[in-house]
């Protein structure tokens, strides 16, 4: 139950304490219009993402969301939920395990793996699943968190 | 000179042969409108990226582009230039070294580090600089390339 209560799903923009095991999720379906908007924004106009006829002749059979856009959900959780506002991305490792099809629901999830004591740096497991529970993206992200959040997290861990 | 000639800047959507050392670049300035569009698309509304007043009170002093959006340029080069159409992202490691400010030019660059002989998998160095030449993002990306491109690359390496 304690673990369940620590599972952060609220829309608060600032978490003042973190514990190893804290997690947060975000769900999103990317429409073809959104995928095309990202292709335009980034310049990544690989037809695998935006051309149904082209995608039909690939191993995927239909259009898939850009991997980097799917990873945007991870950044979104970190910047908006856990740790929230003021978070600065330091690094990310990503392995793409399977395709997110345009229109399918993505369930992105982050979980605190490590909180450094000597500096305000936190490592997260970062994953994305489809609605069937298949792992689509797996990795680790490291972020810098606001100093007061770090101080509170360390103080709590020491108690 | 040979190295210079191998430097790929053309807009061709398909490269039929790759060599270790091949490279390609893409330049882009993200406007505030584009950064806000990405915040909307991804749900990453961290005010560090979109709120000038908030950013003014951070270590950066002004709004910075989402790291994952900057990494979109790497995906764009791979999907549109080198290797080009049909490329499938397998993995990416990213270290963020410095901020890309909204409105500043980003110079993204990929370079072939390794071409596997046993399967169509290619590893790239992936980097992004600002217009002063400061390294903003550093890493490695692994992609799967079309089989005929791989066959041509291997055949060439063996000659």
């Amino acid at each position: 139950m304690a673990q369940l209560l620590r599972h952060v799903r609220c829309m608060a923009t600032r978490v003042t304490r973190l514990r190893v095991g804290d997690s947060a999720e975000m769900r999103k379906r990317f429409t073809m219009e959104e995928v095309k908007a990202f292709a335009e924004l980034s310049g990544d106009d690989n037809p695998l993402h935006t051309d149904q006829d082209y995608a039909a002749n690939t191993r995927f059979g239909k259009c898939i969301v850009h991997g980097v856009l799917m990873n945007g959900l991870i950044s979104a959780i970190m910047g908006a939920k856990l740790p929230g506002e003021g978070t600065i991305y330091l690094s990310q490792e990503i392995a793409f395990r399977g395709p997110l099809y345009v229109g399918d629901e993505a369930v992105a999830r982050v979980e605190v793996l490590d909180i450094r004591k000597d500096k305000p740096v936190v490592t997260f497991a970062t994953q994305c699943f489809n609605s069937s529970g298949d792992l689509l993206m797996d990795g680790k992200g490291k972020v810098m968190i606001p100093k007061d959040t770090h101080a509170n997290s360390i103080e709590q861990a020491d108690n």
Side-chain angles (χ1 to χ4, degrees), chain A residues 20-41:
Chain A
V20 171
D22 279 358
S23 64
E25 283 183 10
M26 191 176 273
R27 289 164 185 261
K28 165 98 181 166
R29 288 178 200 274
F30 288 104
T31 64
M32 180 53 89
E33 289 65 36
E34 289 174 316
V35 169
K36 285 184 174 169
F38 181 72
E40 179 91 9
L41 259 185

Side-chain angles (χ1 to χ4, degrees), chain A residues 142-159:
Chain A
K142 201 173 278 188
V143 297
M144 189 174 290
I145 60 174
K147 280 190 180 161
D148 55 340
T149 305
H150 183 246
N152 284 329
S153 302
I154 292 302
E155 184 188 351
Q156 187 181 51
D158 285 344
N159 287 339

Side-chain angles (χ1 to χ4, degrees), chain A residues 53-119:
Chain A
D53 293 337
Y54 180 91
N57 292 312
T58 67
R59 61 194 293 169
F60 301 113
K62 46 190 180 171
C63 287
I64 66 173
V65 176
H66 299 77
V68 287
L69 180 54
M70 176 163 52
N71 191 56
L73 296 178
I74 298 296
S75 173
I77 302 177
M78 307 241 238
K81 288 187 169 189
L82 185 76
E85 194 177 297
T87 299
I88 297 166
Y89 231 135
L90 297 179
S91 67
Q92 175 80 56
E93 295 167 24
I94 315 163
F96 295 106
R97 308 285 191 202
L100 173 62
Y101 293 107
V102 175
D104 275 10
E105 187 177 54
V107 184
R109 185 174 190 278
V110 310
E111 179 178 331
V112 177
L113 290 182
D114 181 68
I115 303 168
R116 284 185 64 155
K117 285 203 167 188
D118 58 332
K119 53 173 82 171

